[in-house]
Amino acid sequence: MPPRESISPLPDDLNVATSDAIRERYKLARKWAYLMCHNTYVPLSQGELESQLLDMIARLVAALRQDSIDLEFAADLTERLVAMNCADSVSLRCTVDVLGRGLLLSAELRDVDRLAEKVVSMVGALGSCYAESIRKAVLRQQEELERALIMAVRDARWNLKVSEARFDEVATCSSSGIVITDLDGRFIRANHSFGQIVDYTTAELATLSLFDLAHPDEAPYLREAYQAVLNGEHERFRHGQRLVRQDGEIARVSLTATVLRDGDDRPRHFVTVVEDGTELKLLQNELSRQALHDVLTGLPNRQFFTTHLESVLRRADPMYGVTLYHLDLDAFSLITGGLGRKTGDLLLIAVAERLKAVLAGEKAMVARFDGDEFAIIVENSPTSPDVLTMVTTINNELSEPVYIGEHGVAATASIGVVNRPPRNMDPSELLRASDMTLRRAKSNGRRQWELFHPEHHDRDRRTFSLAAAMPGAWENGELAVTYRPIVRLTDKEVVGTEATLRWDHPEHGLLCDERCLELAEETGLILALGPWLLRTACEQLRWDKTIPLSVNLTEQQACDGDLVGEVGKVLRDTGMPPERLWLGMPVQALLADKGEAMDNMRLLAENGVKAVAVDFGGTSGDMVCVEDLPLHAVRVAPWLTAREPLPGSPLTHSLLDMASLVHLSGTQVIVDGVISEEKAQWWRNAGADFAQGALFS
């Protein structure tokens, strides 16, 4: 395949993407550092902290690009944060908030497969490592307190007053609860921190025992543990425990107990250190919830929905099954672009509430995926509405305006529906089926819905597979440029040649030019492939100065702002005279509202290129192009050529008049798709000038 460096825009785009990625990382690091510095103490300046966090973000991006996430990386990152004194719950919340949002919205990670799942896994691992770090810090503090207490107890054998003074100092300053009980567990002394944990005053504790505060289900085990320490079976014990606060709430604590002996080494008291783990447990629960729910709407996210989908499919009623609705809001970008992102967010919250209201009477789950995308899984019952009723109800509910400030906004939805899928269907395959069905619904316009059909699904999968594989096929030389003649109808002399694409696919065989262009349009590859086709054809035919070269453009190419410069560069590089190039543009692109294609055609015509209107149908709109543009020719659409002329038919009559009307502006007529001599004769009688098709190939 000829080198493409001179025509491909990819290197410039890559530089722009790299620059955007660097700016995006700096912005994310700056936000992270700002939140850290303003919410907790960090022994670094904000600039120094930004530098450290920028390096961590770079490593996070690299890790997320791997096929599988190495969660050990989370431990390394957490150790670095802990080393910078960022090891408290505030730091964790800042980290989860910044990374959870920033990485999911990162432009440079947009092409990463299963990005949401990887980010959730990474954030979850960070949370676990944070929790472990906090737990270790607590244990270190407990051990330090234990050592201090043991030393105090040892010194008490010799000097009770000194030991009591030391104990008071430790107990008063400690954020952990410290209590001394008798051998029956009754409180003798308790510091202020313990009183706060259990919501009792010192006077109230004097009438209770530690076992009175234990949860009834765990009190017997707690007595056994203390008795084991008293019997010398263990020097001390450490145990997680639920204590019942005075207000009835549960405090989840960690107890570390040892025996205090007198001068004769006889057990006299228990010393217990109580560490409150309630906040840590709540933080872990909140982290778990955030990992499985959308932050904005509170709905389950894609990961939670996929997991739930698997269990729903397994337990589905064989008679009624389940129904999956995949929704995408119509024109949501117009709302956010016109009224702001905040309005869009409030609309998404309203949509979530309305969807939950619609499904309130059903056994169903509503989830939000990405952006303005939602999903609903309904476990059908005898009373469940049919698909049409449900779709109509959803859109009727969503179309009611939501008043946000002074604006009443509403959003209808395009919906893909998979009704009663097989119980053994893989959840990921089911979601892919619903996504492709949604694509078909959106292609039909707004507020449309489509029901899943296996044959349509298989066809779409083949199309998407071919489109995805096309760049590699081009790189491997499977795409080639072929030519077909343009003949004059009066004498069948070849007056031009048209360059077309052909893909020799190893599995599907030869794919024609029309199919290749459709696939290239699907992925945007046409903006690189089109100039290569033009350059290749010009290089191969530049020495034949007797015949024009025709190249047809797609709608994307026709509207491309770089088209004129690209064509000019190819002509200069290959030495092809501009007047020998017939460049075709679709009529639909020429008549578009923005007018980029029309401007491109005028500029190309001014530079000597012969302009051709492709897919010409002879309508009044098409005639506007003939009258307003400097056209060399129009090419009649193949679907018109394929129709059989009928006596008395209005269409046949208009086709007979088409050529004469076009000729009034000095424009010639090319007929595409001529497959028989009879067709050629009919169009010759109708006044057409040139023809293409199987008859002449």
Side-chain angles (χ1 to χ4, degrees), residues 105-154:
L105 299 176
S106 173
E108 70 172 318
L109 292 176
R110 194 171 297 159
D111 60 337
V112 173
D113 188 31
R114 299 181 296 106
L115 175 61
E117 179 181 341
K118 291 180 179 181
V119 171
V120 167
S121 298
M122 179 62 73
V123 172
L126 284 174
S128 297
C129 293
Y130 255 103
E132 181 64 15
S133 173
I134 295 173
R135 188 185 69 82
K136 288 180 179 180
V138 168
L139 291 179
R140 284 195 300 270
Q141 185 182 40
Q142 290 178 351
E143 289 173 356
E144 291 171 1
L145 287 170
E146 279 185 56
R147 286 195 294 268
L149 290 171
I150 290 171
M151 291 180 64
V153 170
R154 186 180 302 165

Side-chain angles (χ1 to χ4, degrees), residues 459-495:
R459 182 191 63 199
D460 290 347
R461 287 188 63 175
R462 286 194 298 271
T463 298
F464 295 159
S465 175
L466 286 170
M470 198 173 193
W474 180 27
E475 190 71 27
N476 295 331
E478 295 176 20
L479 296 181
V481 179
T482 59
Y483 302 92
R484 62 174 185 160
I486 303 173
V487 302
R488 188 163 43 227
L489 282 172
T490 54
D491 56 9
K492 296 186 179 178
E493 180 181 349
V494 175
V495 296

Side-chain angles (χ1 to χ4, degrees), residues 43-90:
L44 296 173
S45 68
Q46 185 166 338
E48 293 171 334
L49 182 59
E50 283 181 19
S51 177
Q52 294 283 342
L53 298 183
L54 183 62
D55 178 64
M56 296 182 195
I57 291 171
R59 294 185 61 193
L60 274 169
V61 170
L64 290 172
R65 286 192 171 278
Q66 300 299 318
D67 290 337
S68 59
I69 293 294
D70 182 8
L71 297 182
E72 293 296 328
F73 168 71
D76 297 336
L77 189 147
T78 304
E79 287 182 4
R80 291 182 61 181
L81 291 171
V82 169
M84 294 186 292
N85 198 43
C86 300
D88 56 356
S89 59
V90 174

Side-chain angles (χ1 to χ4, degrees), residues 439-674:
R439 280 173 172 263
R440 287 198 300 275
K442 292 174 67 174
S443 67
N444 295 329
R446 294 176 178 171
R447 195 172 175 167
Q448 300 297 311
W449 70 279
E450 186 81 18
L451 192 63
F452 170 78
H453 295 287
E455 60 275 14
H456 293 167
H457 180 65
D458 293 341
R459 182 191 63 199
D460 290 347
R461 287 188 63 175
R462 286 194 298 271
T463 298
F464 295 159
S465 175
L466 286 170
M470 198 173 193
W474 180 27
E475 190 71 27
N476 295 331
E478 295 176 20
L479 296 181
V481 179
T482 59
Y483 302 92
R484 62 174 185 160
I486 303 173
V487 302
R488 188 163 43 227
L489 282 172
T490 54
D491 56 9
K492 296 186 179 178
E493 180 181 349
V494 175
V495 296
T497 184
E498 180 184 345
T500 62
L501 278 174
R502 185 184 67 182
W503 183 359
D504 189 3
H505 195 281
E507 180 180 351
H508 300 283
L510 290 177
L511 301 182
C512 66
D513 178 69
E514 183 178 0
R515 182 65 165 155
C516 290
L517 294 179
E518 288 176 357
L519 295 173
E521 282 270 290
E522 187 75 26
T523 61
L525 179 66
I526 191 64
L527 295 182
L529 188 60
W532 172 79
L533 168 65
L534 177 62
R535 179 177 293 273
T536 301
C538 287
E539 287 178 343
Q540 292 177 351
L541 298 180
R542 60 180 174 176
W543 306 115
D544 185 356
K545 300 183 178 180
T546 62
I547 193 166
L549 169 64
S550 175
V551 178
N552 293 323
L553 307 179
T554 66
E555 289 189 34
Q556 282 190 51
Q557 288 179 276
C559 299
D560 184 16
D562 296 329
L563 176 65
V564 176
E566 200 71 63
V567 172
K569 179 174 176 55
V570 170
L571 294 178
R572 289 192 301 271
D573 292 347
T574 61
M576 172 72 77
E579 60 274 9
R580 280 189 56 207
L581 178 61
W582 295 8
L583 207 59
M585 292 188 184
V587 170
Q588 185 175 354
L590 293 171
L591 296 176
D593 291 340
K594 296 182 180 179
E596 294 94 337
M598 193 173 285
D599 292 340
N600 284 339
M601 176 171 279
R602 288 195 178 100
L603 289 172
L604 289 168
E606 290 174 4
N607 289 311
V609 175
K610 300 294 181 65
V612 179
V614 178
D615 290 333
F616 189 80
T619 65
S620 57
D622 295 356
M623 287 298 177
V624 170
C625 295
V626 175
E627 184 169 327
D628 293 351
L629 292 173
L631 293 178
H632 173 68
V634 297
R635 192 179 77 168
V636 179
W639 65 269
L640 271 178
T641 309
R643 292 183 66 91
E644 290 297 329
L646 299 174
S649 166
L651 177 60
T652 301
H653 185 75
S654 66
L655 291 179
L656 288 170
D657 293 339
M658 181 193 299
S660 59
L661 293 175
V662 172
H663 288 156
L664 290 176
S665 65
T667 304
Q668 297 175 307
V669 178
I670 305 172
V671 182
D672 192 9
V674 177

Side-chain angles (χ1 to χ4, degrees), residues 163-176:
S163 65
E164 287 181 348
R166 290 179 179 175
F167 177 80
D168 288 342
E169 182 69 22
V170 172
T172 302
C173 298
S174 175
S175 60
S176 299

Side-chain angles (χ1 to χ4, degrees), residues 107-403:
E108 70 172 318
L109 292 176
R110 194 171 297 159
D111 60 337
V112 173
D113 188 31
R114 299 181 296 106
L115 175 61
E117 179 181 341
K118 291 180 179 181
V119 171
V120 167
S121 298
M122 179 62 73
V123 172
L126 284 174
S128 297
C129 293
Y130 255 103
E132 181 64 15
S133 173
I134 295 173
R135 188 185 69 82
K136 288 180 179 180
V138 168
L139 291 179
R140 284 195 300 270
Q141 185 182 40
Q142 290 178 351
E143 289 173 356
E144 291 171 1
L145 287 170
E146 279 185 56
R147 286 195 294 268
L149 290 171
I150 290 171
M151 291 180 64
V153 170
R154 186 180 302 165
D155 291 342
R157 297 176 181 175
W158 306 102
N159 194 331
L160 183 57
K161 289 185 179 181
V162 173
S163 65
E164 287 181 348
R166 290 179 179 175
F167 177 80
D168 288 342
E169 182 69 22
V170 172
T172 302
C173 298
S174 175
S175 60
S176 299
I178 301 175
V179 296
I180 297 178
T181 63
D182 61 20
L183 299 183
D184 293 326
R186 301 191 68 82
F187 292 105
I188 296 175
R189 297 186 64 181
N191 69 348
H192 180 68
S193 296
F194 180 76
Q196 287 186 318
I197 293 173
V198 295
D199 194 30
Y200 282 96
T201 65
T202 304
E204 290 170 335
L205 289 173
T207 63
L208 301 171
S209 75
L210 182 60
F211 307 117
D212 293 333
L213 301 182
H215 191 278
D217 295 340
E218 300 175 0
Y221 173 77
L222 187 62
R223 288 182 181 273
E224 292 176 4
Y226 272 90
Q227 188 63 43
V229 174
L230 184 60
N231 295 338
E233 298 175 21
H234 306 289
E235 182 179 353
R236 66 178 62 86
F237 83 89
R238 180 181 292 118
H239 177 62
Q241 181 70 37
R242 287 181 295 169
L243 298 182
V244 181
R245 291 165 47 90
Q246 184 168 221
D247 56 10
E249 296 294 325
I250 299 297
R252 298 181 180 273
V253 300
S254 175
L255 301 181
T256 303
T258 188
V259 174
L260 180 64
R261 299 178 183 272
D262 60 16
D264 298 325
D265 202 30
R266 290 179 299 184
R268 295 296 301 273
H269 303 99
F270 286 114
V271 178
T272 305
V273 178
V274 184
E275 184 64 37
D276 187 3
T278 304
E279 182 179 351
L280 180 59
K281 184 65 177 178
L282 291 174
L283 187 60
Q284 290 174 330
N285 292 340
E286 176 63 17
L287 180 61
S288 177
R289 192 198 68 80
Q290 289 185 12
L292 298 174
H293 289 76
D294 173 51
V295 176
L296 178 65
T297 62
L299 294 177
N301 60 15
R302 182 185 290 270
Q303 182 184 12
F304 190 4
F305 187 81
T306 304
T307 304
H308 178 71
L309 199 58
E310 185 173 0
S311 62
V312 167
L313 287 172
R314 282 200 307 267
R315 66 172 183 258
D317 188 310
M319 180 175 295
Y320 301 106
V322 302
T323 304
L324 174 61
Y325 300 87
H326 201 152
L327 292 75
D328 189 82
L329 301 185
D330 298 323
F332 181 73
S333 60
L334 296 180
I335 295 173
T336 57
L339 301 178
R341 185 69 209 184
K342 184 177 180 181
T343 300
D345 288 345
L346 293 174
L347 177 60
L348 290 174
I349 294 171
V351 168
E353 293 302 318
R354 291 187 175 187
L355 290 177
K356 288 193 292 185
V358 169
L359 277 300
E362 300 294 326
K363 190 176 182 181
M365 173 183 279
V366 182
R368 180 193 174 199
F369 286 177
D370 305 317
D372 56 347
E373 196 174 338
F374 294 83
I376 303 169
I377 184 69
V378 180
E379 299 182 53
N380 295 321
S381 68
T383 60
S384 295
D386 59 67
V387 170
L388 178 59
T389 301
M390 181 65 76
V391 168
T392 303
T393 302
I394 289 173
N395 263 321
N396 287 344
E397 186 70 23
L398 295 183
S399 61
E400 287 293 325
V402 178
Y403 286 91

